[in-house]
Amino acid sequence: MKSKFIILLASVLAVSTIGLAGCASDGNATSSTDTNSAEVSETASEATDLIPTEDTASSTASDNEHRGEIINGVFTSTDGIYKITVPEGVTLLTATDTTTVFTANEGNTTITISSEVNNGPYQDLKQETFETIYSQLYTEYATTGFESKIIDEKRTDYRLSFTGKNKETPLQVDVFKAMTNQRAITIQISSPQDNQPDSTMIDTIIQSLKF
């Protein structure tokens, strides 16, 4: 039953929510054989510099292997776009380039992260914009909190909290959206109103987002 509930919440979020260097001449005469030998040697040396070292190749492969996984308490998205800190008790359920789903609170809390290309410049979103979207997805919708914060000239963060029903289940939902001209990342945390996780878990995930 919890699996169906988790998949349903993830679907709801999906509805809501991119050389050769010449030899310098010093004016001294050299034989043709010596000149050709020097050129071949230097060219071979430069070509060797272009070949990835074992350490570089190993590092790149390691980074790719860690994508879509939780390593030392940090999750890196499958496309390498963002990272978040994953508190104890949070379990990875599924991970794709566009949507990642975690569970927490003994399976009662669903954490869904979506990553989208944003063909900016982005518009400053208003509370009413969020309410229009989510009030159509949840019955008995009621906003309990909203804030927006300009991080810099390239990024704005939004956070919306509301209550509502999905099917017949009363939920408490926290939505965090970080937007730049190139990308929008949304974190949605949904829990039954009578079984919510510790607030520090939510804050840890949201505040740790890096992209």
Side-chain angles (χ1 to χ4, degrees):
M1 183 65 180
K2 288 181 180 178
S3 296
K4 292 182 179 179
F5 178 65
I6 292 170
I7 293 172
L8 181 58
L9 288 177
S11 299
V12 167
L13 179 60
V15 171
S16 60
T17 102
I18 308 168
L20 294 177
C23 298
S25 173
D26 60 2
N28 296 325
T30 59
S31 69
S32 175
T33 301
D34 291 341
T35 300
N36 290 339
S37 177
E39 290 177 347
V40 170
S41 177
E42 185 171 352
T43 301
S45 176
E46 292 179 354
T48 300
D49 290 340
L50 296 176
I51 299 175
T53 65
E54 183 177 347
D55 290 341
T56 301
S58 176
S59 176
T60 301
S62 178
D63 289 342
N64 290 335
E65 288 174 0
H66 291 168
R67 292 182 180 183
E69 299 180 23
I70 301 174
I71 304 296
N72 297 324
V74 176
F75 172 79
T76 302
S77 61
T78 57
D79 56 8
I81 295 295
Y82 66 85
K83 294 184 178 183
I84 61 165
T85 297
V86 180
E88 291 186 9
V90 177
T91 303
L92 176 63
L93 188 62
T94 62
T96 67
D97 285 354
T98 57
T99 304
T100 299
V101 181
F102 299 85
T103 61
N105 190 23
E106 297 182 346
N108 292 292
T109 297
T110 302
I111 305 160
T112 307
I113 305 177
S114 66
S115 176
E116 307 168 277
V117 174
N118 185 35
N119 298 318
Y122 66 89
Q123 296 180 343
D124 181 26
L125 300 180
K126 305 298 183 183
Q127 178 175 333
E128 294 75 13
T129 304
F130 287 90
E131 292 177 336
T132 298
I133 295 172
Y134 287 100
S135 63
Q136 296 179 29
L137 300 174
Y138 295 83
T139 59
E140 300 183 22
Y141 174 93
T143 299
T144 57
F146 179 82
E147 62 180 344
S148 63
K149 182 179 181 180
I150 298 176
I151 305 303
D152 52 40
E153 68 276 8
K154 297 180 180 180
R155 172 177 167 179
T156 302
D157 291 352
Y158 305 87
R159 184 166 179 174
L160 170 74
S161 299
F162 65 88
T163 58
K165 283 187 175 181
N166 183 279
K167 299 296 183 180
E168 295 301 319
T169 305
L171 299 173
Q172 170 66 47
V173 183
D174 287 279
V175 178
F176 174 80
K177 181 181 285 291
M179 294 190 66
T180 69
N181 286 345
Q182 290 78 36
R183 187 157 297 273
I185 296 179
T186 303
I187 302 175
Q188 179 170 312
I189 303 174
S190 304
S191 305
Q193 290 181 20
D194 60 356
N195 194 346
Q196 299 180 43
D198 186 80
S199 60
T200 57
M201 184 206 75
I202 297 175
D203 292 339
T204 295
I205 294 174
I206 289 175
Q207 294 172 9
S208 68
L209 174 65
K210 295 180 180 179
F211 68 101

